[in-house]
Amino acid sequence: MISNIPPKKTRMNERPAEIRAKDFFEVTLGYDHEEAVREAQRCLQCPKPKCVEGCPVGIDIPGFIKMIKDDDLKSSAEILKKYNKLPAICGRVCPQENQCEGVCVLGKVKDYEPVAIGRLERFVADWERGSPLEEKGGIKLNGFKVAIIGSGPAGITCAAELATQGFEVTIFEALHAPGGVLVYGIPEFRLPKSIVNHEIRKVQDLGVTVKMDTIIGKTIKMETLIDEYDAVFIGIGAGTPKFMGIDGTDLNGVFSSSEILTRINLMKSYEFPETDTPIKKSRNVVVVGGGNVAMDAARCALRIGAESVKIIYRRTAEELPARHEEYLHACEEGVEFLWLSNPVEYIGDEKGNLKYIKIQRMQLGEPDSSGRRRPVPVEGDMPVIEADCVIEAIGQTPNRVLLDEFPQLELNKWGNIKVNEDTLETSVKNVFAGGDIVTGAATVIEAMGAGKKAAASIAARIFENSR
Amino acid sequence: MSYLITKKRKIADDEFDIWIKAPLIASSAGPGQFVVIRSHDGAERIPLTIADSNSETGEIRIIYQVVGTSTQKLSKVECGEYIMNVAGPLGKPSEMCSQKKVIVIGGGVGIAAILPIVKALHRLENHVVTILGAKNKDYIILREELDEYSDELIITTNDGSEGFKGFVTDILSNKLENGFEVDCAWAVGPTVMMKAVSVIAGINVFPVWTSLNPIMIDGTGMCGGCRVKVDGEVKFACVDGPEFDGRFVDWDNLTQRQRQYGDEEKESYHKCNLDGY
């Protein structure tokens, strides 16, 4: 009976806001065994589970949760692994409220919260990291070679899927560390890099080679990969930061979120001068945007030591695209929000350093094509606020490095790679693509879904070619 | 990853000439392109222009000046030792011309960057006038090699210890006044030098390719830290450049942005010296 079920999710412990906002250690602590079992007992075990449909990789969610309830964590981990190669990561960074938890039947009951599927996924994955499943014996190579460009979530997933099936897989990564956005984008306090490294090591244990410092199109030509491999998968991510392009963008103190996050996450500049890459210590930081990246940038700025951090977003809290948890964490840690606001000009001092931001206040008008009410300027309402650092987190456009060097790839009107939606094959035969370079900036799990789907098409295509 | 330093030579008080084993880069590097080097764990990623490459031996040549923490630490890696990361070749190769009259100007350590350009121009049967400038004769590097590929080589030093006393711009103006009909030019060196050459190119209406060196992190268009203003448009030096026609570059903005981490650079260099590097 539903009346026996607690209406709220089992609380997950977090480190106190005033302490965690000063360091880069993980914010949330995860469930212990007892909490996980208690939460698992909230699952209704629906005969027609909606949550599975809500999951981009179709995890058997009631299945793995039942095994937690039955105290068979090994089986639970096995179920998860069958669908999702990176559960420790997804349990932490998936926007569950828009996916599995958003459609959870329990959550539809008045006053009830959905089952905390993400937290349970993380619990099982973390348990498994401590007590690894027995690996199947050595994988027999099938003689086919696949090249994967980019070691982010799409690339790692595609590689793991193919390697398990006996393909000889090589991942090419442009940066000096593997993981893509998981390493340069998502901060340590939200996704510890030790977890990412663990997952990458496991992919390497499957026989996958990861080559760093290799920019396809520059270090190795795309044509060479096509010649030397039976298939190629492009998972190079979203790429290049957008700027609003307003007056004053060239002032010192105006950054893209990509630069700030790369300095902090990839280059570990929060340990400067122990590490060599510096980060500007600013007093009044303003972040522009309302997505997860904006939350990450703002929370990083606090941790670097800013006195005040404001997020300005042109709509309201209700339209905020960030994960709800990230928004709450940001508020608890002391990030302020200026709703219905948009910067229109950056104003500097005589040395070219940012001093003020002129803001246009907005109000919500008629719904636009996305169904959200469109923000429209309130005439004459243009306050000026002080800031010595502004971080624009307003999205990305496709990175052109590979695309320019290999113009044979057909692109869509946004400049993303065009693919066959069923197979993820591009306009060039035996070349597949998935993740943000195809969809524009999306989520980790969607990129993984694409990597998995591409792996299936690649295997099918290679076997077809070899007949 | 790790990359072997195969040769190392100190060519001036604070300048080093090294060859690094990096076969993939050696076989695809073009004039004007650069690599991003990260010498050890915890090091910065720093962009350095490729001064030469040998696809047969799989080596690339980098000539650099010690200007801060990263180059100081790099300078401690000896021949036979390894550095952690070398990525490239990055940026667009120089836009070459053939059978033209070309002036190529190198200032200070920027002389290293013009070597592959001068070589390629020579191969394409251009008439190449090379002008080298430095503070004194010790910093006039690669003289013999550049002489071999140049139709004319002119040297200037600030103190007159070699060649003409003065600046590269004096020689350039002089050349133009004497009726040298230049089709296009290159200038690589300190920002003030590139700016001054660009002003002359603007007045005399010829294109001058300058290699911009803003602060960079990834070098692949990912962070936007290296953005520069060219002809009113925002460009990323790492992927749209590094070479731009200097006549259209907003030099003051570049200088302002280069200074962005001045305090931190000093702090880091101080620590680097205290740490005994």
Side-chain angles (χ1 to χ4, degrees):
Chain A
M1 276 310 291
I2 194 151
S3 56
N4 300 331
I5 299 174
K8 300 282 176 211
K9 291 177 179 177
T10 307
R11 224 185 92 80
M12 175 166 61
N13 287 324
E14 290 166 358
R15 296 170 56 235
E18 61 273 20
I19 296 175
R20 70 184 197 233
K22 294 189 180 73
D23 66 41
F24 276 81
F25 297 112
E26 194 170 15
V27 166
T28 55
L29 298 170
Y31 283 155
D32 63 20
H33 187 243
E34 188 263 329
E35 289 163 335
V37 172
R38 201 189 323 149
E39 183 61 21
Q41 282 164 348
R42 293 181 71 235
C43 176
L44 298 173
Q45 293 290 318
C46 305
K48 283 185 191 159
K50 290 277 178 216
C51 51
V52 179
E53 290 169 31
C55 173
V57 295
I59 296 176
D60 174 11
I61 293 167
F64 95 82
I65 292 182
K66 180 163 186 302
M67 290 302 147
I68 302 176
K69 206 157 56 175
D70 294 352
D71 205 12
D72 181 357
L73 294 182
K74 189 164 168 285
S75 303
S76 184
E78 276 165 357
I79 294 173
L80 266 181
K81 285 283 156 137
K82 206 161 93 191
Y83 298 90
N84 181 350
K85 297 283 183 218
L86 310 171
I89 294 170
C90 292
R92 286 171 167 83
V93 303
C94 264
Q96 288 95 0
E97 66 260 35
N98 304 328
Q99 297 172 344
C100 51
E101 294 181 22
V103 291
C104 170
V105 172
L106 183 65
K108 299 293 170 202
V109 179
K110 190 172 178 297
D111 297 331
Y112 272 74
E113 285 182 358
V115 176
I117 300 169
R119 295 174 186 176
L120 290 173
E121 179 182 29
R122 167 182 170 170
F123 167 75
V124 175
D126 287 354
W127 173 84
E128 198 253 337
R129 210 167 46 257
S131 10
L133 300 177
E134 253 173 63
E135 294 298 338
K136 280 177 254 153
I139 299 163
K140 202 165 164 278
L141 288 178
N142 64 16
F144 297 109
K145 288 167 66 185
V146 180
I148 291 186
I149 311 173
S151 65
I156 304 175
T157 310
C158 188
E161 294 283 341
L162 288 168
T164 321
Q165 295 172 49
F167 291 88
E168 188 187 333
V169 181
T170 307
I171 302 182
F172 297 96
E173 168 57 49
L175 295 173
H176 60 262
V181 71
L182 305 173
V183 164
Y184 70 73
I186 304 178
E188 177 79 18
F189 58 80
R190 201 147 79 76
L191 177 64
K193 300 310 153 224
S194 57
I195 293 177
V196 180
N197 293 337
H198 178 85
E199 298 298 340
I200 305 248
R201 252 197 319 277
K202 278 200 334 214
V203 173
Q204 287 170 316
D205 288 345
L206 293 171
V208 173
T209 306
V210 188
K211 289 211 160 118
M212 257 64 84
D213 304 329
T214 312
I215 302 107
I216 301 303
K218 296 283 189 189
T219 318
I220 301 177
K221 296 285 170 220
M222 190 66 194
E223 288 82 350
T224 311
L225 287 191
I226 294 174
D227 283 349
E228 291 180 0
Y229 292 82
D230 296 290
V232 179
F233 175 74
I234 305 173
I236 56 176
T240 291
K242 270 190 216 167
F243 286 95
M244 313 225 354
I246 59 179
D247 282 352
T249 302
D250 48 13
L251 290 168
N252 288 352
V254 179
F255 301 94
S256 72
S257 53
S258 310
E259 175 175 353
I260 295 293
L261 292 176
T262 302
R263 282 182 183 276
I264 291 176
N265 301 324
L266 179 71
M267 307 311 296
K268 303 249 177 288
S269 62
Y270 57 88
E271 291 172 7
F272 180 85
E274 293 307 316
T275 54
D276 295 342
T277 306
I279 183 90
K280 264 281 163 242
K281 285 201 168 60
S282 308
R283 293 177 57 210
N284 290 310
V285 177
V286 169
V287 179
V288 185
N292 288 324
V293 175
M295 305 300 131
D296 286 346
R299 296 170 70 196
C300 280
L302 274 183
R303 284 159 171 80
I304 294 300
E307 287 165 23
S308 141
V309 180
K310 295 186 185 72
I311 289 182
I312 46 183
Y313 179 52
R314 59 205 182 105
R315 302 181 203 246
T316 70
E318 267 172 47
E319 291 85 14
L320 199 72
R323 275 178 102 215
H324 191 58
E325 188 181 75
E326 308 313 328
Y327 166 59
L328 292 182
H329 284 158
C331 293
E332 290 165 10
E333 290 168 10
V335 174
E336 298 165 63
F337 285 80
L338 285 183
W339 308 114
L340 293 166
S341 300
N342 208 26
V344 285
E345 189 188 345
Y346 302 131
I347 303 161
D349 62 14
E350 66 290 343
K351 287 184 184 148
N353 296 319
L354 178 70
K355 201 113 175 83
Y356 302 103
I357 303 178
K358 189 190 253 184
I359 289 169
Q360 170 70 66
R361 302 278 293 158
M362 316 291 274
Q363 58 190 1
L364 291 181
E366 294 300 310
D368 63 13
S369 57
S370 72
R372 297 184 299 180
R373 291 175 65 193
R374 185 195 303 273
V376 288
V378 180
E379 214 170 305
D381 193 354
M382 296 174 94
V384 171
I385 59 171
E386 261 186 72
D388 53 356
C389 169
V390 64
I391 304 169
E392 292 193 358
I394 56 162
Q396 279 132 347
T397 55
N399 189 304
R400 300 286 323 167
V401 172
L402 186 146
L403 307 180
D404 284 346
E405 299 285 338
F406 190 62
Q408 292 90 319
L409 280 174
E410 233 179 275
L411 306 179
N412 67 19
K413 65 174 170 177
W414 296 282
N416 292 104
I417 299 177
K418 216 169 168 175
V419 293
N420 173 326
E421 281 184 25
D422 297 323
T423 63
L424 300 186
E425 190 162 16
T426 66
S427 57
V428 179
K429 203 179 164 203
N430 302 332
V431 177
F432 298 74
D436 284 2
I437 190 58
V438 169
T439 57
T443 61
V444 168
I445 186 75
E446 283 166 293
M448 289 177 46
K452 190 172 168 179
K453 189 166 164 186
S457 315
I458 288 168
R461 162 51 59 83
I462 290 179
F463 293 135
E464 185 191 313
N465 287 347
S466 69
R467 269 210 297 272
Chain B
M1 307 286 276
S2 59
Y3 300 80
L4 178 68
I5 306 235
T6 55
K7 297 184 198 82
K8 180 178 175 184
R9 206 159 56 91
K10 190 169 181 171
I11 53 173
D13 202 25
D14 50 5
E15 284 182 14
F16 293 88
D17 179 355
I18 59 173
W19 287 82
I20 306 170
K21 192 94 174 168
L24 290 171
I25 303 174
S27 62
S28 50
Q33 290 189 295
F34 63 97
V35 287
V36 163
I37 286 185
R38 182 173 165 271
S39 61
H40 59 279
D41 204 20
E44 268 185 292
R45 295 172 62 95
I46 53 166
L48 293 167
T49 307
I50 303 168
D52 206 349
S53 58
N54 184 333
S55 56
E56 277 162 32
T57 62
E59 293 166 293
I60 58 167
R61 183 183 193 182
I62 304 290
I63 295 174
Y64 64 93
Q65 186 172 25
V66 174
V67 292
T69 301
S70 300
T71 41
Q72 172 105 327
K73 289 184 178 175
L74 177 61
S75 75
K76 302 297 170 186
V77 186
E78 302 300 339
C79 181
E81 297 179 338
Y82 292 85
I83 51 178
M84 273 190 95
N85 303 97
V86 182
L90 295 166
K92 295 196 158 79
S94 309
E95 272 187 40
M96 280 294 147
C97 53
S98 58
Q99 299 180 326
K100 296 276 198 272
K101 293 173 99 168
V102 187
I103 294 178
V104 186
I105 302 170
V109 75
I111 295 173
I114 67 168
L115 177 62
I117 298 169
V118 169
K119 268 185 165 179
L121 288 168
H122 174 76
R123 207 166 41 238
L124 292 164
E125 298 172 357
N126 293 284
H127 179 91
V128 184
V129 176
T130 302
I131 306 172
L132 306 183
K135 54 183 174 187
N136 62 48
K137 69 175 182 353
D138 294 341
Y139 288 88
I140 298 291
I141 56 173
L142 305 176
R143 189 179 342 203
E144 287 77 25
E145 284 170 86
L146 283 161
D147 196 29
E148 191 183 334
Y149 302 104
S150 306
D151 294 271
E152 192 182 349
L153 180 76
I154 308 167
I155 290 169
T156 67
T157 47
N158 298 2
D159 65 355
S161 54
E162 184 170 352
F164 293 90
K165 184 174 190 297
F167 298 101
V168 291
T169 40
D170 301 333
I171 304 295
L172 174 64
S173 300
N174 194 268
K175 209 71 196 149
L176 296 170
E177 276 160 28
N178 287 330
F180 186 84
E181 286 177 15
V182 60
D183 293 305
C184 75
W186 267 264
V188 187
T191 307
V192 278
M193 182 207 93
M194 295 194 284
K195 178 182 174 183
V197 172
S198 299
V199 170
I200 297 174
I203 295 165
N204 294 276
V205 200
F206 60 88
V208 56
W209 294 105
T210 52
S211 183
L212 305 192
N213 51 348
I215 294 166
M216 250 179 223
I217 310 176
D218 62 292
T220 61
M222 203 181 85
C223 79
C226 69
R227 60 191 196 275
V228 290
K229 253 205 296 202
V230 182
D231 214 5
E233 268 183 66
V234 172
K235 298 277 183 192
F236 288 3
C238 66
V239 289
D240 300 320
E243 292 187 357
F244 295 97
D245 188 334
R247 293 177 297 166
F248 307 114
V249 170
D250 183 337
W251 292 102
D252 295 341
N253 185 237
L254 177 67
T255 314
Q256 166 210 310
R257 289 185 56 78
Q258 281 170 332
R259 286 199 307 258
Q260 184 141 225
Y261 290 92
D263 294 343
E264 290 81 3
E265 282 161 8
K266 269 188 221 128
E267 180 189 356
S268 173
Y269 197 28
H270 181 63
K271 179 173 185 306
C272 168
N273 285 311
L274 287 180
D275 288 349
Y277 276 96

